[in-house]
Amino acid sequence: MTMQLFRVALVLVLTVLAGATAAQSVDRQFRTWLANDLWPEAQRRGISQATFNAAFTGVSPNLKLPDLVLPSEARPRGSVQHQAEFRAPAAYFKHVGGVVSGGRARLQRLQPALAAIEQRYGVPRGILLAIWGRESGFGGAKIPHDAFEVLGTKAFLATRKAMFREEVLAALEVVEKRGVAARAMRSSWAGAMGQPQFMPTSYLKYAVDGDGDGRADIWGSEADTLASIANYLAQHGWVKGRDWGFEVTVPDSVSCTLEGPDRGRRIADWQALGVRRVGGKAFPAHELRGEGFLMMPAGRFGPAFIVTPNFYRLKDYNESDLYALFVGHAGDRIMYGNAEFAGAWRPVSGFNRADVAALQRGLERLGHDVGGADGLAGFKTRRSIGAWQEKNGGQARCFPEIDTMRNLK
């Protein structure tokens, strides 16, 4: 072996040893934290020693998880980078067909359970199937992590320790009071559990028995999973009898700056402004009297929608316009065989999230509320872009563009 190769090998060995030593140190600190900090709090909340031991025996911190701050490090590991490519909304819907076909395949087989759940909670079965398919591939997706490994690690080391502390304590309560075995609690890397991907606090509030066996098994029971999703939406205010929304055409005379949940008006009033459902369809008569909201996830570069308050109940499940649109659209296609969106997603690219964040900061300097400079184009950012474009003599397009960025940086 040459001296150069020897030095390289020595560096590698020392790096591995240093990493192992650091991991052992973190593990010792984790054990001290469990015994002196988390256990006393768990005990005060009625958790038994047996439950606590069952949850954490053999569990060590998983240092591969994102958003951790190790004692010897200043910055989070695996945090989201603004240098990531900015993705146009069209990419989000690439796999909607799989959810649609999977939902249709289960409609008939699960008809009795779906009918009973829909009758009880008022949430359409297409919506339930779409969420189930989106969250866990109808239970087929691998749920790779031990929930206590994830939640314990994050409560000890994550950037949001307080939040995960509540979640790991809730998970202990699931074992203590709901009779779920600790090792049966499988989760995502973020701690979301089972087929509906509930955090432990959500499990305690919304998980229900849908198959009559006395347990709320969101890991193994299809009926429990569907009933729990329905209960979640109902408890958040799902309005029985109303749709989630409708794809529409928006004339140039209606500005995209009118978008947002704080700028609603009766659907009849939107219709009077010239907004029409696609394909020549009429709005249902009972919907005309209800409040609707303009939603244009790609501004003038993609399809447009009039959504109802139920759209925002879907956002309660996952705080994303595109998630709620995916679920509503997939639910319609599952139930009615509807086609893909009538409006085309036009390509918008050539920049990254850091560019969008710079654009947002430029708008903030001018007094616009963009909802935070996070590099994501939420509705506040979209309509702020449009307002700036109109003020400067252009047509509002309400979506990030290269020229707009250059002028606002």
Side-chain angles (χ1 to χ4, degrees), residues 314-368:
L314 298 177
K315 283 192 69 175
D316 288 332
Y317 207 98
N318 182 316
E319 186 58 32
S320 162
D321 286 338
L322 296 181
Y323 176 90
L325 181 56
F326 183 106
V327 167
H329 177 60
D332 283 351
R333 289 177 62 181
I334 288 168
M335 293 304 300
Y336 312 118
N338 292 5
E340 297 181 4
F341 297 121
W345 301 99
R346 291 161 56 191
V348 179
S349 60
F351 45 87
N352 57 35
R353 283 184 57 182
D355 295 322
V356 178
L359 165 67
Q360 291 169 319
R361 289 191 292 271
L363 288 165
E364 285 178 330
R365 287 193 294 270
L366 295 174
H368 293 276

Side-chain angles (χ1 to χ4, degrees), residues 121-124 206 229-243 308-314 316-317:
Y121 296 102
V123 182
Y206 308 114
I229 294 169
N231 187 45
Y232 184 102
L233 294 174
Q235 294 278 359
H236 279 80
W238 183 274
V239 181
K240 184 177 183 178
R242 291 208 69 182
D243 209 315
T308 79
N310 284 340
F311 177 84
Y312 296 100
R313 304 294 71 78
L314 298 177
D316 288 332
Y317 207 98

Side-chain angles (χ1 to χ4, degrees), residues 18-265:
T21 301
Q24 290 169 359
S25 175
V26 171
D27 189 63
R28 286 193 298 270
Q29 293 175 63
F30 178 68
R31 292 288 154 199
T32 300
W33 172 78
L34 284 176
N36 298 339
D37 189 342
L38 192 65
W39 162 240
E41 176 66 16
Q43 189 176 34
R44 284 193 292 271
R45 297 193 184 195
I47 304 302
S48 68
Q49 184 76 65
T51 292
F52 195 86
N53 290 345
F56 290 108
T57 295
V59 171
S60 297
N62 183 345
L63 303 185
K64 295 180 181 179
L65 297 173
D67 297 321
L68 304 183
V69 182
L70 271 63
S72 61
E73 298 177 356
R75 293 184 179 182
R77 289 188 172 190
S79 57
V80 174
Q81 299 296 315
H82 276 182
Q83 284 71 30
E85 179 186 0
F86 181 84
R87 301 181 69 196
Y92 197 89
F93 300 93
K94 184 176 180 181
H95 302 296
V96 68
V99 172
V100 172
S101 60
R104 287 178 182 168
R106 288 161 175 80
L107 261 179
Q108 187 60 38
R109 178 172 64 81
L110 296 175
Q111 193 278 333
L114 287 166
I117 292 167
E118 186 173 336
Q119 176 65 30
R120 179 176 180 181
Y121 296 102
V123 182
R125 63 196 72 184
I127 293 293
L128 302 178
L129 289 166
I131 291 177
W132 183 26
R134 184 71 177 85
E135 293 294 334
S136 66
F138 306 100
K142 184 179 180 181
I143 303 176
H145 295 289
D146 181 292
F148 285 102
E149 178 188 78
V150 170
L151 297 169
T153 299
K154 287 183 172 285
F156 181 55
L157 294 171
T159 55
R160 294 180 292 168
K161 291 182 182 179
M163 186 201 91
F164 282 104
R165 183 184 182 88
E166 287 302 312
E167 293 297 345
V168 74
L169 288 165
L172 288 165
E173 189 173 342
V174 171
V175 176
E176 182 77 31
K177 300 180 180 179
R178 297 294 187 92
V180 179
R183 298 286 79 80
M185 291 172 60
R186 307 296 296 174
S187 80
S188 71
W189 63 264
M193 304 188 306
Q195 297 186 43
Q197 288 291 275
F198 279 0
M199 297 299 289
T201 52
S202 291
Y203 179 96
L204 293 174
K205 292 177 184 176
Y206 308 114
V208 293
D209 174 19
D211 57 18
D213 68 354
R215 301 182 302 128
D217 178 10
I218 62 171
W219 294 269
S221 169
E222 295 176 332
D224 290 4
T225 294
L226 291 163
S228 297
I229 294 169
N231 187 45
Y232 184 102
L233 294 174
Q235 294 278 359
H236 279 80
W238 183 274
V239 181
K240 184 177 183 178
R242 291 208 69 182
D243 209 315
W244 67 271
F246 310 92
E247 188 180 355
V248 297
T249 57
V250 180
D252 290 342
S253 58
V254 176
S255 175
C256 53
T257 62
L258 296 177
E259 180 183 8
D262 53 349
R263 298 182 180 178
R265 58 185 73 195

